[in-house]
Amino acid sequence: MKITTLTLAATVLGGLVLGTGAASAAPMGPNGLQSAPAGITQVRMSSSERMMMKKRMMHKKMMKRRMMKRKMMMNRM
């Protein structure tokens, strides 16, 4: 989960850095800042959504471990 969160944060920050650069073709606002693209909106995650995400990642990790353990047992035979 840490890797995907870090990757997502890097992507968002990279997009913001590139989006506000001088080489951008989008029109600039009066303060020199661009408006965000219409298709992208940021929303705050509630605690219940965060917990569901955490549970999903834990389940995924558990299943992955189970599969690895199963492979190891099959290799022993």
Side-chain angles (χ1 to χ4, degrees):
M1 185 168 161
K2 288 182 181 180
I3 294 171
T4 55
T5 305
L6 187 61
T7 306
L8 181 65
T11 305
V12 170
L13 288 175
L16 288 175
V17 169
L18 290 174
T20 57
S24 178
M28 299 293 271
N31 296 336
L33 296 175
Q34 291 177 326
S35 62
I40 301 172
T41 57
Q42 282 187 332
V43 292
R44 195 175 284 264
M45 210 186 312
S46 69
S47 59
S48 61
E49 288 173 328
R50 200 174 303 116
M51 186 59 89
M52 281 175 20
M53 224 171 142
K54 197 172 180 182
K55 282 184 181 179
R56 192 178 312 129
M57 292 305 287
M58 290 295 286
H59 182 72
K60 202 173 180 181
K61 191 175 182 181
M62 184 180 67
M63 295 306 276
K64 192 173 183 179
R65 281 184 182 170
R66 186 182 291 176
M67 286 300 292
M68 292 302 287
K69 195 174 183 180
R70 198 168 170 200
K71 281 183 184 179
M72 294 298 284
M73 291 299 285
M74 293 298 275
N75 287 339
R76 286 184 187 175
M77 292 182 167

